[in-house]
Amino acid sequence: MKLLSDRINSLPVSQTLEMAAKTRELKAQGKDIIGLSLGEPDFNTPDFIKEAAIQAINDNYNSYTPVDGYQELKEAICRKFKRDNQLNYSPNQIVVSTGAKQSIANVAMVLLNPGDEVLLPAPYWVSYSAIATLAEATYKEIPSSIETDFKITPEQLEAAITPKTKLIFFNSPNNPSGAKYSKEEYEALAKVLEKHPDIFILSDEIYEHINYEGENYSFARIASLYDRTITVNGVAKAFAMTGWRIGYIGAPEWIAKACTKMQGQITSGANCIAQRATIAALDAPISKIQYMVDEFKSRRDIVINLLNEIDGFKTNTPNGAFYLFPDVSSFFGKTIKENKINNASDFALFLLKEAHVATVTGDAFGAPNCIRISYAASEAQLREALARIKKVLS
Ligand code: GLU
């Protein structure tokens, strides 16, 4: 009998988390590594959220919470959906989980059967494909490139759909490209999905507030799709709360119920203190976190300018999230400082080895010509990282 299951053996390691672990390991060995691999704000969680957590500890919030989250939190999430997204959800349509990653895994587990197909507009976040695999579905990438700002077209979507298509994972603003779809672009894709009533839409909006231009749209705002859209969000990115692990969905009630059943057998409710803190985060005016968004935007511009000073990087200007996704294919086939660069993984490893800068290969995101640079690091670190990269490539 095999020691490990086929399930775990079929699962790749998360390359974002692996690169972060590698960075920690090298730093522990005394190496001066600049980590631009992890999508994690370098800010502290705002004080008003920390105070709510301390208050919750003092108020003895220490018991199991309802599996789908505290009622007060679910009500706060409904208020947030209404205020920020013009979406009407009631608390019985909400499920709170241990991070948006668990929210997504719940949805995949309850909707997918073996043989179902999941569509992944590429580039896509590393765990989408792994979660689809875990749910025994197959996935199909819909490619895009820097020339189209990493967005797919309605024609591509139409061409990718088959009778087996059950779910599409959609993410705007996008990790890893930073691409943000406009209302019109959503509506054009919706026209295609309207023709295929059996397809569900998982709309991952975790980066909604890291948005530099125009409004952020949502699939669930399109009335014809509301009943088959699962809106995913969380507090990690907007409120600098990555380690607090709170994600949530707004979904048709029957899907929310199924996710609660799934979660009830795997982990029960999310952390009680983090849930109380999340109420404070979501009830606060968005202006309270604007300083972080402004800072991210300024860093984006700095990094784009510095990258454009280096021959070989093809860049665009993403409208959201805190990633740049330059095309580095012009380096493929070259040997630099005795390192043969055949692909984006070689290039990312080269940057780690020679410049001591950690990035993530585009291969992990279904975009083999690119690397992901997270600019959720301090300006000083970003400037130093880019100076190092420039030096090793000159
Ligand atoms: N979502 C973040 C990233 O892409 C955190 C790491 C992860 O969960 O993949 O870097």
Side-chain angles (χ1 to χ4, degrees):
M1 201 182 279
K2 294 179 205 160
L3 283 177
L4 284 173
S5 67
D6 294 340
R7 183 175 309 108
I8 192 65
N9 283 335
S10 71
L11 209 63
V13 169
S14 161
Q15 292 204 45
T16 47
L17 298 184
E18 190 175 49
M19 206 57 169
K22 206 176 233 169
T23 305
R24 270 186 223 116
E25 196 181 299
L26 290 169
K27 277 186 176 167
Q29 291 167 13
K31 299 224 167 78
D32 176 21
I33 307 290
I34 301 179
L36 307 183
S37 59
L38 202 56
E40 167 156 76
D42 60 318
F43 294 100
N44 290 323
T45 303
D47 286 343
F48 72 95
I49 301 174
K50 291 196 274 193
E51 278 151 21
I54 293 164
Q55 188 63 46
I57 293 173
N58 288 332
D59 288 347
N60 294 310
Y61 280 97
N62 41 30
S63 311
Y64 287 124
T65 78
V67 171
D68 51 348
Y70 285 122
Q71 179 68 15
E72 298 89 323
L73 174 54
K74 293 196 295 170
E75 285 168 7
I77 291 168
C78 293
R79 287 192 293 277
K80 171 256 165 318
F81 273 134
K82 183 87 197 143
R83 179 193 66 185
D84 299 343
N85 313 101
Q86 297 170 42
L87 293 177
N88 288 314
Y89 285 114
S90 56
N92 52 4
Q93 294 178 276
I94 307 294
V95 182
V96 179
S97 300
T98 301
K101 194 183 285 192
Q102 190 187 19
S103 300
I104 295 166
N106 281 343
V107 172
M109 291 301 174
V110 308
L111 284 185
L112 296 170
N113 276 312
D116 287 345
E117 250 171 37
V118 178
L119 294 181
L120 301 180
Y124 53 85
W125 176 48
V126 288
S127 293
Y128 289 167
S129 48
I131 287 171
T133 303
L134 200 54
E136 297 180 65
T138 56
Y139 62 88
K140 187 192 269 181
E141 297 174 358
I142 308 177
S144 71
S145 71
I146 202 160
E147 279 74 28
T148 58
D149 280 330
F150 298 107
K151 292 182 197 174
I152 62 156
T153 62
E155 293 73 31
Q156 282 182 290
L157 175 60
E158 181 77 71
I161 291 171
T162 74
K164 289 186 177 166
T165 308
K166 178 76 184 281
L167 183 61
I168 176 168
F169 280 154
F170 192 83
N171 172 219
S172 169
N174 178 270
N175 174 9
S177 72
K180 201 189 91 180
Y181 285 74
S182 68
K183 178 174 186 271
E184 292 69 32
E185 287 165 335
Y186 269 93
E187 284 169 347
L189 295 174
K191 286 242 155 0
V192 176
L193 293 166
E194 277 165 3
K195 287 191 262 169
H196 301 275
D198 296 332
I199 301 179
F200 290 83
I201 301 123
L202 182 145
S203 181
D204 178 353
E205 302 178 10
I206 188 82
Y207 292 96
E208 72 167 322
H209 292 306
I210 323 291
N211 168 27
Y212 308 127
E213 220 180 274
E215 95 174 311
N216 204 62
Y217 208 64
S218 296
F219 264 118
R221 271 177 76 173
I222 299 166
S224 60
L225 299 183
Y226 178 85
D227 283 338
R228 49 190 172 110
T229 297
I230 302 98
T231 307
V232 177
N233 214 321
V235 287
K237 312 294 182 182
F239 298 93
M241 292 175 72
T242 49
W244 297 68
R245 310 307 304 127
I246 296 291
Y248 53 86
I249 58 166
E253 193 177 342
W254 62 274
I255 296 179
K257 253 189 170 157
C259 288
T260 303
K261 182 173 164 191
M262 172 63 61
Q263 189 164 297
Q265 293 291 18
I266 290 189
T267 188
S268 300
N271 177 283
C272 53
I273 304 304
Q275 285 196 50
R276 302 309 300 185
T278 297
I279 298 174
L282 296 182
D283 275 342
I286 289 306
S287 55
K288 282 216 167 188
I289 55 165
Q290 191 57 38
Y291 66 97
M292 292 193 255
V293 181
D294 293 344
E295 183 62 32
F296 287 136
K297 186 175 186 203
S298 131
R299 293 174 191 178
R300 175 197 68 174
D301 295 338
I302 290 167
V303 178
I304 292 175
N305 287 335
L306 292 173
L307 275 178
N308 286 342
E309 285 175 14
I310 307 172
D311 279 345
F313 283 94
K314 201 188 279 178
T315 60
N316 68 337
T317 303
N319 273 337
F322 35 57
Y323 306 107
L324 291 177
F325 203 55
D327 184 312
V328 295
S329 57
S330 71
F331 296 104
F332 299 173
K334 294 191 175 154
T335 300
I336 315 172
K337 287 183 172 280
E338 291 170 26
N339 299 277
K340 181 92 184 117
I341 314 285
N342 283 324
N343 49 48
S345 297
D346 288 346
F347 189 71
L349 284 175
F350 161 76
L351 293 182
L352 184 62
K353 183 170 158 238
E354 301 291 343
H356 288 180
V357 175
T359 57
V360 186
T361 172
D363 280 316
F365 307 98
N369 286 340
C370 302
I371 60 165
R372 189 185 78 173
I373 298 175
S374 163
Y375 54 85
S378 72
E379 184 180 329
Q381 278 196 313
L382 292 168
R383 286 190 183 280
E384 170 64 17
L386 271 292
R388 289 185 192 180
I389 293 174
K390 189 174 187 176
K391 191 161 167 227
V392 296
L393 288 171
S394 63

